[in-house]
Amino acid sequence: MKNPLSIHQKVSFTTACIFTAIAPVVGYLSIGLAPVIIVGGSAIMALIFWSRTYLRRPVDPEIILPLFILTVAGLQIHIVEEYLMGFAPSMSRLFRISWSEKSFLIVFALVGPVIYTLTSLGLYYKIPIAGFVAWFIFIGPGVAEFTHFIFPLISPDLMPQDPNPITAFIGGTKIPDMPNFYFKITGNYYFPGMWTAILPMILGCMAIYRLLLKKQESNY
């Protein structure tokens, strides 16, 4: 029989559920549907795995903390490529969403590192909600990066036959220089972030495997 959750664990679980419900809605209202599918799906999967593992039995920091830091390091390298190659405007053209480079930088280059730092501290002290954030990073910005290999095969919503960058207003926001990476038009199989997407993917998969293996070992 499983031990009942403590007050601290219940608060963490409630917080994670609220995030899982609200984050996709906020993302949809501010950006659009396509990225929300990835974020929302990752949050749901993270909630399931976290509630069955770290929430009830926090993993020792010497196991999960290096995995998290390495995954975040791979993710940050990946984000550099995304920014330099125009990931945000490329996504805007691909899915007709208003994702500016400014909002991309605020979320991933400024707010993101703050969250990663606080999560690392939380994992060190075995704070339950930190485990949820870690699982979300392992699954979302980790495993889900495989989508970069699919994006070049999708016809953009905005002027798919034009290989040149375009500027347009989307949802009242001016998005300049939106490039076209549609493989059928460019003949070049690439999408911003694709070269380094494998870094957080591999590290995220390693972390998930190690954590699930640890859970299995603890059941014996």
Side-chain angles (χ1 to χ4, degrees):
M1 180 181 295
K2 295 181 179 179
N3 295 326
L5 296 179
S6 67
I7 295 297
H8 194 187
Q9 289 171 318
K10 290 179 180 179
V11 171
S12 295
F13 182 75
T14 301
T15 303
C17 289
I18 292 173
F19 170 84
T20 302
I22 292 180
V25 176
V26 174
Y28 174 75
L29 294 176
S30 59
I31 300 176
L33 179 61
V36 171
I37 295 176
I38 299 173
V39 174
S42 299
I44 292 173
M45 294 300 297
L47 183 65
I48 294 173
F49 281 107
W50 168 71
S51 64
R52 294 174 179 269
T53 57
Y54 196 95
L55 176 61
R56 293 186 175 276
R57 184 176 294 182
V59 180
D60 290 336
E62 59 264 29
I63 295 176
I64 192 172
L65 192 51
L67 294 170
F68 178 74
I69 292 175
L70 287 173
T71 302
V72 167
L75 176 61
Q76 290 301 102
I77 294 172
H78 171 60
I79 289 173
V80 170
E81 183 198 346
E82 286 186 327
Y83 172 70
L84 292 176
M85 302 305 292
F87 178 77
S90 299
M91 290 289 285
S92 294
R93 182 168 183 176
L94 187 62
F95 296 110
R96 198 186 291 265
I97 58 178
S98 56
W99 198 357
S100 65
E101 288 191 329
K102 179 181 178 180
S103 62
F104 175 86
L105 286 175
I106 290 175
V107 172
F108 292 106
L110 300 178
V111 177
V114 175
I115 296 175
Y116 307 149
T117 302
L118 293 176
T119 300
S120 298
L121 186 63
L123 293 174
Y124 179 79
Y125 287 106
K126 296 185 177 181
I127 298 175
I129 193 63
F132 170 74
V133 178
W135 268 103
F136 177 75
I137 296 299
F138 295 149
I139 295 174
V143 177
E145 295 294 347
F146 77 89
T147 53
H148 283 70
F149 298 94
I150 300 175
F151 291 150
L153 303 175
I154 302 175
S155 176
D157 275 356
L158 293 174
M159 303 178 67
Q161 304 303 319
D162 186 351
N164 301 305
I166 62 174
T167 298
F169 282 90
I170 305 176
T173 302
K174 183 179 180 180
I175 309 296
D177 302 322
M178 294 182 285
N180 187 355
F181 287 97
Y182 186 27
F183 175 70
K184 192 173 182 179
I185 297 300
T186 65
N188 182 26
Y189 187 74
Y190 175 75
F191 197 85
M194 195 172 75
W195 292 333
T196 53
I198 195 169
L199 292 177
M201 281 176 60
I202 290 177
L203 293 167
C205 288
M206 288 175 57
I208 292 171
Y209 173 77
R210 183 68 183 90
L211 293 176
L212 292 180
L213 183 63
K214 181 65 177 178
K215 179 182 184 298
Q216 185 176 13
E217 292 172 351
S218 65
N219 289 335
Y220 288 103

